[in-house]
Structure formats: C-alpha cells, structure tokens
C-alpha cells in the first residue's frame, strides 16, 4: 500500500432547495390561500476518523467532494427533503487546515471523531411565508442558498507513542523488525526506508505500544534536505524518542549533534521531548573502542541532563530487554 500523508481536497456542501409558489384550490377550502413549501437544507460535509485507514491514498485519485443539494419545496406547505450529509473518512491522526490561510480547523485523533468542514445551504422560503393582510395572494418566494465551499489541506501525523530516529543506516528498521511484527525493507545502504513504518511492541501488561520508524534524517532536514523533513511531523505526537546511533561511524558524537540540531531547528518542542540515546551495532566494535564511545556519549548526554546511554545490537538481539525496560520506565508503564 502506498503511503500518502498529505493531500489537498475541495469540499462543497449542498445547495439549499428553492421555495415555491403554490395555492390551495381544494373544493371545500374556499379561502385556500398560499401554500408553497420551503426548500430543503443542503447536505453538510464532515470528516470522520476511521481506525481502519492508515494513509491518505484515497485522496490521491479523488480531490472533489460534493454533498447532495436540498430538494425544492412542495405544495400544501410541504418542505423539500434535505440533502444527506457527506461523510469523508480519514485516518486517525489527520489534521485539517484551510489551504489558503493554513489555519487549523480540527485534529481527528480518536476513532469516530467528526469535524464539520462545510455547512449546507439554507433552503429557500415558499410563498406561504409572505401572506399578510395587505397581500393575500403573494407570489414571492426565495431561492436556496449555496453551500459552503472550501479547499482543505489534510496532513496525517502518525499516532505512535515511541519514535525511532537517527541518521540513515543507523539500524532503525532492523530494530523495529526485531521488537515487533513489522517487516520493513532492510538493506546495507542508506535511505532504505522511504516511508515511516509502524510496529506494535508488547508491553509487560500484555497490551501493545506503537513504535514508529522514521526515515533517516540528514543535516538540513528541517529546512527541506533529504527525506527526513517530509516525516518530522510524524514524531510530533510521540511521547518518547529513541535516538539510534551507528557505533561503526568515524565520529559518533558528531552524528548525535546533527540529529539534535535538526530537532531544534524543526521546533514543535521536539528538542525537549524525552529521549533515549542508544548506541547500535556494538558487535562491530571491540570492548575498548566500545567503552570509549560510550564514555564520550555519556558525558555529552549527562551534560544536558539526559538519561543513561544504552548500548545494543539490533541485528544480534543484544541488550534489547534493557532497552525496553528503559522505554517502559520513561513512559511510566509498570513492569511485571
């Protein structure tokens, strides 16, 4: 399934039905008078969060959504039928904005959340409304009003409690594949992951926590470089970040600082988000070199008041229980 996390659509509510001019002419109603009914109301347009959707792919092929118009009024003061509301299903975690002003209209996070994005037009009035002592046979009526029409910008932000971030080839996809049932593409070259991957990791209590593997960041990502800038929005909702670092690179500390600068440049409080610094691929270092790298990382992290640095091997499944224990502790999840 193709992952699409942004879409622009046009929504148009239904037009209200027209009122009509009509008069009663029954045999036993000598002074029948005007009896034109009102038009029905146009259908509204609503966005509704659906837990079964994971992407905005549907909006790649259909961009215009129009609700049903109201029906015109009928004789004998009969009101025309109102248009049914148009329900547009979107994934949980979708934000809707006015495409022209970028003003946030609503954030649909829970299944069943609904947002009214276009109001249906009001129905017109029939001539029965214009009866007066001075005009006993009015032939005046009003037309229905047009429904609202808007251009919307939809943005999907994944609902994950834990986000796995790091430079390309740090082993993020390998980590989420061994912690969960997710099966992302894994290869020995950078930028293997082109879209975020979600995996559910079992908690000590038996239920699951959603982890998100975010495509690799590079220097300048917050300003639009590389792939990471397209997906930084997906870690805005996370409660905890796992900052994964490749132990085999020449300068581990420099790699850490690259990601930290991008989190600060992007804003939205990401640089203040609770974070675990995790050194991966430790099987590639001898014990002396590993301890030297860990000591440098510990000094850097502790200077910022961060938690202890962890060392793991995702490929060899080494020290993963310790990593999960630290995750549960940061999330405030009791361990059995």
């Amino acid at each position: 399934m193709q992952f699409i996390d942004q879409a622009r659509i046009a929504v148009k509510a239904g037009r209200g039905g027209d009122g009509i001019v009509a008069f009663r002419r029954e045999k036993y109603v000598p002074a029948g008078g005007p009896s034109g009914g009102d038009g029905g109301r146009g259908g509204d347009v609503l966005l509704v969060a659906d837990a079964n959707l994971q992407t905005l792919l549907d909006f790649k092929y259909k961009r215009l959504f129009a609700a049903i118009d109201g029906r015109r009024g009928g004789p004998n003061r009969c009101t025309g039928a109102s248009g049914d509301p148009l329900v547009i299903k979107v994934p949980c975690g979708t934000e809707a904005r006015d495409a022209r002003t970028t003003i946030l209209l609503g954030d649909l996070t829970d299944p069943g959340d609904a947002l009214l994005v276009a109001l249906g037009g009001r129905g017109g009035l029939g001539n029965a409304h214009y009866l007066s002592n001075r005009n006993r046979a009015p032939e005046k009526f009003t037309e229905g009003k047009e429904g609202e029409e808007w251009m919307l910008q939809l943005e999907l932000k994944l609902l994950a409690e834990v986000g796995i971030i790091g430079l390309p080839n740090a082993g993020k996809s390998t980590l989420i594949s061994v912690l969960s049932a997710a099966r992302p593409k894994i290869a020995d070259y950078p930028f293997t992951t082109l879209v975020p991957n979600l995996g559910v990791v079992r908690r000590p209590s038996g239920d699951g926590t959603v982890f998100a593997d975010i495509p690799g960041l590079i220097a300048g990502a917050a300003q639009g470089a590389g792939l990471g800038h397209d997906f930084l929005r997906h870690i805005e909702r996370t409660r905890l970040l796992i900052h994964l670092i490749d132990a085999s690179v020449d300068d581990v500390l420099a790699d850490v600082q690259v990601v930290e600068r991008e989190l600060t440049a992007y804003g939205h409080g990401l640089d203040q988000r609770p974070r675990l610094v995790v050194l991966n691929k430790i099987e590639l270092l001898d014990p002396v070199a590993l301890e030297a790298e860990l000591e440098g990382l510990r000094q850097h992290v502790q200077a910022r008041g961060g938690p202890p640095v962890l060392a793991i091997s995702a490929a060899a499944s080494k020290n993963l229980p310790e990593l999960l224990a630290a995750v549960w502790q940061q999330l405030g999840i009791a361990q059995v």
Side-chain angles (χ1 to χ4, degrees):
M1 180 177 64
Q2 188 175 3
F3 183 81
I4 303 292
D5 63 348
Q6 294 188 80
R8 178 170 289 200
I9 63 173
V11 294
K12 186 179 187 308
R15 180 182 183 276
D18 298 335
I20 69 164
V21 174
F23 296 92
R24 297 189 67 178
R25 291 187 173 84
E26 289 89 344
K27 179 177 180 181
Y28 299 105
V29 185
S35 64
D38 302 337
R41 182 183 178 83
D44 301 328
V45 181
L46 301 97
L47 301 181
V48 176
D50 187 340
N52 295 317
L53 298 178
Q54 303 296 329
T55 174
L56 298 175
L57 178 64
D58 292 344
F59 304 107
K60 179 178 180 181
Y61 305 105
K62 184 177 180 181
R63 305 278 179 129
L64 176 61
F65 296 84
I68 298 174
D69 295 340
R71 301 292 295 273
R72 67 194 300 260
N76 298 326
R77 297 178 180 258
C78 290
T79 301
S82 296
D84 293 331
L86 174 63
V87 175
I88 303 173
K89 294 182 178 181
V90 297
C92 295
T94 300
E95 287 185 350
R97 297 178 180 272
D98 181 355
R100 290 168 293 183
T101 64
T102 70
I103 294 175
L104 179 64
L105 303 177
D107 190 0
L108 306 169
T109 56
D110 298 321
D113 282 355
L115 175 66
L116 177 64
V117 292
L119 191 64
R122 187 176 60 187
L125 301 179
N127 69 331
H129 280 272
Y130 297 99
L131 175 65
S132 68
N133 290 332
R134 302 180 64 180
N135 187 357
R136 306 304 296 175
E139 295 188 357
K140 179 181 179 181
F141 72 98
T142 56
E143 296 180 347
K145 302 296 184 181
E146 291 290 340
E148 293 181 341
E149 187 172 359
W150 300 98
M151 286 292 297
L152 300 181
Q153 177 71 29
L154 304 180
E155 291 187 359
L156 174 61
K157 297 181 180 179
L158 296 178
L159 299 176
E161 290 191 86
V162 180
I164 305 174
I165 61 173
L167 293 178
N169 220 30
K172 301 182 293 298
S173 297
T174 302
L175 179 60
I176 199 171
S177 70
V178 297
L179 292 179
S180 71
R183 292 295 175 263
K185 180 180 179 181
I186 300 173
D188 59 352
Y189 52 85
F191 297 109
T192 308
T193 303
L194 301 179
V195 298
N197 294 301
L198 293 180
V200 178
V201 180
R202 185 176 297 277
R203 297 183 183 183
S205 59
D207 52 354
T209 294
V210 179
F211 283 51
D213 159 28
I214 307 301
L217 305 176
I218 64 172
Q223 287 75 38
L227 294 173
H229 76 285
D230 286 331
F231 303 111
L232 277 167
R233 72 175 68 86
H234 294 297
I235 57 176
E236 290 182 25
R237 301 183 191 273
T238 56
R239 295 172 54 196
L240 175 68
L241 299 178
I242 295 177
H243 182 174
L244 210 60
I245 307 149
D246 185 351
S248 66
V249 299
D250 295 333
D251 192 341
V252 168
L253 192 56
D255 282 9
V256 173
Q257 292 171 335
V258 167
V259 174
E260 290 177 342
R261 284 194 296 269
E262 295 312 313
L263 295 179
T264 301
Y266 184 74
H268 299 275
L270 293 186
D271 56 333
Q272 304 299 322
R273 196 67 46 87
R275 181 162 50 102
L276 292 175
V277 176
V278 181
L279 191 65
N280 189 28
K281 304 183 184 180
I282 59 174
E283 75 279 6
L284 301 179
L285 299 181
D286 61 69
V288 175
L290 175 60
E291 187 56 37
E293 296 289 5
L294 285 174
E295 183 59 30
L297 281 176
R298 290 190 188 107
Q299 293 179 5
H300 175 76
V301 172
Q302 291 173 1
R304 296 168 174 254
V309 176
L310 301 174
I312 69 166
S313 171
S317 298
K318 186 175 182 179
N319 296 340
L320 297 185
E322 290 79 1
L323 170 61
L324 288 178
V327 169
W328 307 141
Q329 181 180 4
Q330 289 289 321
L331 295 177
I333 297 174
Q335 302 182 47
V336 180

